[in-house]
Amino acid sequence: MQRRQEREDFMSITAPALMPKLMLPYVFIPSQLCSALKSIYCPKGDSISRSNLHNNYKKCIKSLSNVRTIIQRDYLSILKICLYLIQFEEDLELGRFRLLNHTVETSDLENCFIISLKSLNGDLHVIKPDCEVDIRDNTKKAIFAKVVKVVENDVIIKPYDPENAKTLKMKEKRFNIHFVDRHWSLRCCHYALEIVSKCNWIEIVYPQLRTNCIDMEIDIEWINADMKENEPQKQAVRKILNKTAYPAPYIIFGPPGTGKTATLVETICQIVRHFPTKNILVCTSSNAAADEITKRLIKYIPTNLIYRMYAPSREWSTVKNEIQSCANFVQESTLFLSKELLLRKKIIITTLVSSVRLIDVNFRENHFSYIIIDEASQAIEPEMLIPLAITNKESDENTRFHPQIVIAGDPYQLGPVVCCKRIEHLLGRSMLERLMDDCDPYKKQDGTYNPNYITKLVQNFRSHENLLHVSNKQFYCGDLKICGGADIRMALNWSQLPNKNFPMIFQEVLGTETRSLNRSVCNTAEVLAVLMYVSILIKTKFGKHVITPKDIGIVTPFKQQQLDIIHHLEAMKIKGITVGTVETFQGQERNVMILSTVRSKVFEHNDKEHIGFLSNPKRFNVALTRAKALMIIIGNPNILCKNEHWEVLWKYCKKHNANIPFEQLPLNNDVIAKLKGNSKVKSCNGSGPSRATELSVTVELGEENRTKTFDELVRKMENLKLKGENLKSKKD
């Protein structure tokens, strides 16, 4: 324990600061709860008689799967137990990566080293940046380091003491390596729960409908001229200025492409204009969202009034140029302003977890008049409580929470990522979704929402009507109205479209999915189909617009498929195309999107067939709503149509003659020749050999000995197509 505290103290001295770095206590799972968890997760040898408390904990944990809604009485206790479960599972999973007699390699990064592992768990890496690493040689002398980043199977670490670099550079040395998670975000949540539990939190978390809302007419000169014609956006701004929902949160329900961020920016600007003495705290789930709001705000508000607060781990080189003037950096190191300097800032922008550093500033209770939370549908509920703890003091039940809370998001897009399956149904449901489902102020009455509590944005500026049709009907009650410009129609009449007036293709591919070492899934046939369409699209003209790599996005639900596509695009020397999982594409858009579904197997659970990962309606919705002008779906309809949403999409495309059979996949000979001529594939990270599948990566052995990766791919595809044709002829 003392050694851990010493490391914590050492880690706190990471940058010059005017305000001491917040030191949160390490959270230990209560001993009886830990004992109960061990008996559930590791039941061998658990025949020993246990205490009543142990047995009660065990019953409680097992009963969580039956809890569908967290009621007010159990709210704080269930959230706390859920946090303990996540911590226990993360530590259990991390134990799998205890390495004995292992080598450490030198990295290209200064004073950094690489620990190579055989496998990590897909997107949900259990080894994360800021994990600690305990490294010992045969002398038992400990070297402490932190994880800087994880690239595929390589963990890049940096020792706290630069002197230890000499030992790690010794090639003959072997080490016993142990990873330790600091659980920083969980500790932030526990800290917030402890503070909020002593305050009047019920009216925020379980709000009641009020009938005495004050809604004054405010003369507003709109900063964003486009909002003058958008009634839902204007309604949201007016209601927030008037605090019609107070003390309950006000919800901005923003479906894809409806201008949610623009509405938040306009709201903040109008608060500054109409109430110049009021202060605003803006929190988001991700740094990308916080940066986007900052970038838009500095066009209208002086940068000296804005404070973009990053975590200490953020590198100066990654901060966008236009944001640097209001970021918490001095001489390229993070710095935390003192209370006196923070009081001069009208707007503080940070992530939910990083906002915990403001708690010990001890702002007065009414310092922030508004707390605005973007991406609220992507945050677990305990994270949503962190900003609420900043200005909350111990109070009796009659003392109201001062700020107006505004939460923005979309309950029909991907929610929080929760690795613990036992509680995924609880923490995987965001506060925004829970409020809209369970609390009267946010429920529809006679088919409409109460505008004093919630506004649904309905004008979609992103997508062509056909691209939005299925999601609009399946998730948004058909309310979305198409308001995009000419660019959403640019793909019409493209030569490859089966229906020249319908900018969507459902390309049938009868490939086979295979599971890689990292437990993720790939489909070689679909990889080639993606590459074919990319080759056809590049430099194609949509009207006067020439398609470039930056116009194209490739999305797939599986990490291994993403890696394979990236490797092959490198082989084709095509740069600038974003290839990502559905999670990474949430919030993004491209003129052209290619979706590789990968799935070729049907699963069964409780006598019901399903398509696993792809059955998630939120994942389906996000994947389908990224495209502006053209959507190409690649997959096996025989498998996908086992799911109701995919079946609706397939039938919609079929109705509009947009389906292309597998045997008609455009295997252009010129394209194949080009692919064969560029069959060298480089490693993805440049820091060692890639560990992707054999078909996805080759080793350079000189010009004359190039491996024929694409030859193999094309041969496989041609064989599969022939089989598809034979099957079809047999059916006929």
mmCIF file of all heavy atoms in Angstrom, residues 534-535 538 548-554 565-566 569 574-580 585 590 594:
data_model
loop_
_atom_site.group_PDB
_atom_site.id
_atom_site.type_symbol
_atom_site.label_atom_id
_atom_site.label_comp_id
_atom_site.label_asym_id
_atom_site.label_seq_id
_atom_site.Cartn_x
_atom_site.Cartn_y
_atom_site.Cartn_z
ATOM 1 N N VAL A 534 -13.676 0.669 -53.864
ATOM 2 C CA VAL A 534 -12.785 1.816 -53.637
ATOM 3 C C VAL A 534 -12.049 2.164 -54.922
ATOM 4 O O VAL A 534 -11.960 3.337 -55.320
ATOM 5 C CB VAL A 534 -11.775 1.512 -52.509
ATOM 6 C CG1 VAL A 534 -10.657 2.557 -52.496
ATOM 7 C CG2 VAL A 534 -12.472 1.481 -51.156
ATOM 8 N N SER A 535 -11.516 1.134 -55.607
ATOM 9 C CA SER A 535 -10.767 1.373 -56.854
ATOM 10 C C SER A 535 -11.640 2.013 -57.926
ATOM 11 O O SER A 535 -11.188 2.880 -58.676
ATOM 12 C CB SER A 535 -10.212 0.046 -57.378
ATOM 13 O OG SER A 535 -9.343 -0.528 -56.442
ATOM 14 N N ILE A 538 -12.433 5.917 -56.694
ATOM 15 C CA ILE A 538 -11.374 6.927 -56.689
ATOM 16 C C ILE A 538 -11.275 7.599 -58.057
ATOM 17 O O ILE A 538 -11.186 6.942 -59.097
ATOM 18 C CB ILE A 538 -10.016 6.295 -56.314
ATOM 19 C CG1 ILE A 538 -10.031 5.790 -54.869
ATOM 20 C CG2 ILE A 538 -8.878 7.302 -56.493
ATOM 21 C CD1 ILE A 538 -10.127 6.864 -53.820
ATOM 22 N N THR A 548 -12.370 11.818 -53.990
ATOM 23 C CA THR A 548 -11.021 11.619 -53.450
ATOM 24 C C THR A 548 -11.118 10.693 -52.229
ATOM 25 O O THR A 548 -12.218 10.446 -51.721
ATOM 26 C CB THR A 548 -10.398 12.961 -53.021
ATOM 27 O OG1 THR A 548 -11.133 13.466 -51.888
ATOM 28 C CG2 THR A 548 -10.451 13.979 -54.156
ATOM 29 N N PRO A 549 -10.000 10.175 -51.749
ATOM 30 C CA PRO A 549 -10.052 9.307 -50.557
ATOM 31 C C PRO A 549 -10.758 9.944 -49.367
ATOM 32 O O PRO A 549 -11.418 9.243 -48.591
ATOM 33 C CB PRO A 549 -8.570 9.041 -50.262
ATOM 34 C CG PRO A 549 -7.911 9.091 -51.604
ATOM 35 C CD PRO A 549 -8.633 10.186 -52.337
ATOM 36 N N LYS A 550 -10.648 11.254 -49.220
ATOM 37 C CA LYS A 550 -11.272 11.913 -48.070
ATOM 38 C C LYS A 550 -12.805 11.895 -48.143
ATOM 39 O O LYS A 550 -13.480 12.109 -47.146
ATOM 40 C CB LYS A 550 -10.770 13.347 -47.947
ATOM 41 C CG LYS A 550 -9.316 13.431 -47.500
ATOM 42 C CD LYS A 550 -8.871 14.854 -47.281
ATOM 43 C CE LYS A 550 -7.423 14.890 -46.784
ATOM 44 N NZ LYS A 550 -6.930 16.271 -46.579
ATOM 45 N N ASP A 551 -13.337 11.650 -49.338
ATOM 46 C CA ASP A 551 -14.798 11.553 -49.494
ATOM 47 C C ASP A 551 -15.333 10.216 -49.004
ATOM 48 O O ASP A 551 -16.542 10.068 -48.792
ATOM 49 C CB ASP A 551 -15.185 11.698 -50.975
ATOM 50 C CG ASP A 551 -15.059 13.121 -51.471
ATOM 51 O OD1 ASP A 551 -15.640 14.015 -50.838
ATOM 52 O OD2 ASP A 551 -14.373 13.336 -52.490
ATOM 53 N N ILE A 552 -14.438 9.234 -48.850
ATOM 54 C CA ILE A 552 -14.869 7.851 -48.613
ATOM 55 C C ILE A 552 -14.615 7.433 -47.165
ATOM 56 O O ILE A 552 -13.547 7.689 -46.607
ATOM 57 C CB ILE A 552 -14.122 6.879 -49.557
ATOM 58 C CG1 ILE A 552 -14.358 7.276 -51.020
ATOM 59 C CG2 ILE A 552 -14.562 5.435 -49.317
ATOM 60 C CD1 ILE A 552 -13.489 6.523 -52.009
ATOM 61 N N GLY A 553 -15.599 6.777 -46.574
ATOM 62 C CA GLY A 553 -15.424 6.141 -45.273
ATOM 63 C C GLY A 553 -15.777 4.672 -45.395
ATOM 64 O O GLY A 553 -16.701 4.305 -46.121
ATOM 65 N N ILE A 554 -15.025 3.831 -44.703
ATOM 66 C CA ILE A 554 -15.308 2.388 -44.698
ATOM 67 C C ILE A 554 -15.578 1.981 -43.260
ATOM 68 O O ILE A 554 -14.732 2.166 -42.385
ATOM 69 C CB ILE A 554 -14.127 1.581 -45.281
ATOM 70 C CG1 ILE A 554 -13.827 2.029 -46.717
ATOM 71 C CG2 ILE A 554 -14.433 0.073 -45.237
ATOM 72 C CD1 ILE A 554 -12.545 1.440 -47.295
ATOM 73 N N ILE A 565 -8.584 -4.400 -44.032
ATOM 74 C CA ILE A 565 -8.857 -3.405 -45.082
ATOM 75 C C ILE A 565 -7.769 -2.335 -45.091
ATOM 76 O O ILE A 565 -7.292 -1.924 -46.152
ATOM 77 C CB ILE A 565 -10.254 -2.788 -44.885
ATOM 78 C CG1 ILE A 565 -11.341 -3.840 -45.134
ATOM 79 C CG2 ILE A 565 -10.463 -1.600 -45.825
ATOM 80 C CD1 ILE A 565 -12.740 -3.418 -44.695
ATOM 81 N N ILE A 566 -7.357 -1.890 -43.900
ATOM 82 C CA ILE A 566 -6.298 -0.877 -43.812
ATOM 83 C C ILE A 566 -5.017 -1.378 -44.466
ATOM 84 O O ILE A 566 -4.371 -0.666 -45.254
ATOM 85 C CB ILE A 566 -6.032 -0.490 -42.341
ATOM 86 C CG1 ILE A 566 -7.199 0.327 -41.777
ATOM 87 C CG2 ILE A 566 -4.732 0.297 -42.204
ATOM 88 C CD1 ILE A 566 -7.139 0.565 -40.281
ATOM 89 N N LEU A 569 -5.374 -1.386 -48.283
ATOM 90 C CA LEU A 569 -5.355 -0.028 -48.845
ATOM 91 C C LEU A 569 -3.932 0.503 -48.898
ATOM 92 O O LEU A 569 -3.557 1.210 -49.839
ATOM 93 C CB LEU A 569 -6.247 0.905 -48.010
ATOM 94 C CG LEU A 569 -7.758 0.699 -48.154
ATOM 95 C CD1 LEU A 569 -8.513 1.585 -47.177
ATOM 96 C CD2 LEU A 569 -8.221 0.986 -49.583
ATOM 97 N N ILE A 574 -3.208 3.783 -51.332
ATOM 98 C CA ILE A 574 -4.315 4.742 -51.202
ATOM 99 C C ILE A 574 -4.305 5.271 -49.769
ATOM 100 O O ILE A 574 -4.459 4.515 -48.818
ATOM 101 C CB ILE A 574 -5.665 4.079 -51.525
ATOM 102 C CG1 ILE A 574 -5.709 3.664 -52.996
ATOM 103 C CG2 ILE A 574 -6.818 5.035 -51.213
ATOM 104 C CD1 ILE A 574 -6.964 2.899 -53.381
ATOM 105 N N LYS A 575 -4.134 6.558 -49.630
ATOM 106 C CA LYS A 575 -4.105 7.183 -48.309
ATOM 107 C C LYS A 575 -5.272 8.155 -48.174
ATOM 108 O O LYS A 575 -5.727 8.723 -49.153
ATOM 109 C CB LYS A 575 -2.785 7.938 -48.106
ATOM 110 C CG LYS A 575 -1.555 7.042 -48.141
ATOM 111 C CD LYS A 575 -0.283 7.867 -47.951
ATOM 112 C CE LYS A 575 0.959 6.970 -47.988
ATOM 113 N NZ LYS A 575 2.201 7.771 -47.836
ATOM 114 N N GLY A 576 -5.728 8.331 -46.944
ATOM 115 C CA GLY A 576 -6.753 9.340 -46.687
ATOM 116 C C GLY A 576 -8.146 8.798 -46.486
ATOM 117 O O GLY A 576 -9.059 9.549 -46.143
ATOM 118 N N ILE A 577 -8.340 7.480 -46.712
ATOM 119 C CA ILE A 577 -9.655 6.881 -46.452
ATOM 120 C C ILE A 577 -9.718 6.479 -44.987
ATOM 121 O O ILE A 577 -8.841 5.786 -44.483
ATOM 122 C CB ILE A 577 -9.895 5.641 -47.343
ATOM 123 C CG1 ILE A 577 -9.980 6.060 -48.811
ATOM 124 C CG2 ILE A 577 -11.178 4.921 -46.925
ATOM 125 C CD1 ILE A 577 -10.202 4.900 -49.773
ATOM 126 N N THR A 578 -10.752 6.916 -44.297
ATOM 127 C CA THR A 578 -10.946 6.520 -42.900
ATOM 128 C C THR A 578 -11.620 5.155 -42.860
ATOM 129 O O THR A 578 -12.673 4.960 -43.453
ATOM 130 C CB THR A 578 -11.819 7.542 -42.152
ATOM 131 O OG1 THR A 578 -11.200 8.825 -42.236
ATOM 132 C CG2 THR A 578 -11.967 7.160 -40.689
ATOM 133 N N VAL A 579 -10.969 4.224 -42.177
ATOM 134 C CA VAL A 579 -11.526 2.883 -41.988
ATOM 135 C C VAL A 579 -11.724 2.700 -40.488
ATOM 136 O O VAL A 579 -10.787 2.829 -39.710
ATOM 137 C CB VAL A 579 -10.579 1.790 -42.527
ATOM 138 C CG1 VAL A 579 -11.252 0.413 -42.424
ATOM 139 C CG2 VAL A 579 -10.170 2.089 -43.961
ATOM 140 N N GLY A 580 -12.935 2.409 -40.067
ATOM 141 C CA GLY A 580 -13.177 2.313 -38.630
ATOM 142 C C GLY A 580 -14.310 1.364 -38.286
ATOM 143 O O GLY A 580 -15.061 0.908 -39.157
ATOM 144 N N PHE A 585 -17.006 5.538 -35.858
ATOM 145 C CA PHE A 585 -17.649 6.407 -36.843
ATOM 146 C C PHE A 585 -18.841 7.170 -36.272
ATOM 147 O O PHE A 585 -19.381 8.051 -36.943
ATOM 148 C CB PHE A 585 -18.107 5.591 -38.063
ATOM 149 C CG PHE A 585 -17.178 5.708 -39.242
ATOM 150 C CD1 PHE A 585 -16.323 4.686 -39.580
ATOM 151 C CD2 PHE A 585 -17.145 6.872 -39.997
ATOM 152 C CE1 PHE A 585 -15.456 4.790 -40.656
ATOM 153 C CE2 PHE A 585 -16.288 7.001 -41.075
ATOM 154 C CZ PHE A 585 -15.437 5.955 -41.409
ATOM 155 N N ARG A 590 -19.450 11.010 -44.181
ATOM 156 C CA ARG A 590 -18.657 11.055 -45.415
ATOM 157 C C ARG A 590 -19.626 11.126 -46.595
ATOM 158 O O ARG A 590 -20.770 10.683 -46.510
ATOM 159 C CB ARG A 590 -17.768 9.815 -45.575
ATOM 160 C CG ARG A 590 -16.661 9.655 -44.544
ATOM 161 C CD ARG A 590 -15.571 10.710 -44.674
ATOM 162 N NE ARG A 590 -14.476 10.453 -43.749
ATOM 163 C CZ ARG A 590 -14.452 10.779 -42.467
ATOM 164 N NH1 ARG A 590 -15.518 11.373 -41.928
ATOM 165 N NH2 ARG A 590 -13.403 10.526 -41.721
ATOM 166 N N ILE A 594 -18.903 2.893 -47.283
ATOM 167 C CA ILE A 594 -18.946 1.467 -47.637
ATOM 168 C C ILE A 594 -19.029 0.695 -46.332
ATOM 169 O O ILE A 594 -18.181 0.855 -45.450
ATOM 170 C CB ILE A 594 -17.689 1.050 -48.431
ATOM 171 C CG1 ILE A 594 -17.554 1.903 -49.710
ATOM 172 C CG2 ILE A 594 -17.743 -0.435 -48.775
ATOM 173 C CD1 ILE A 594 -16.262 1.654 -50.479
#
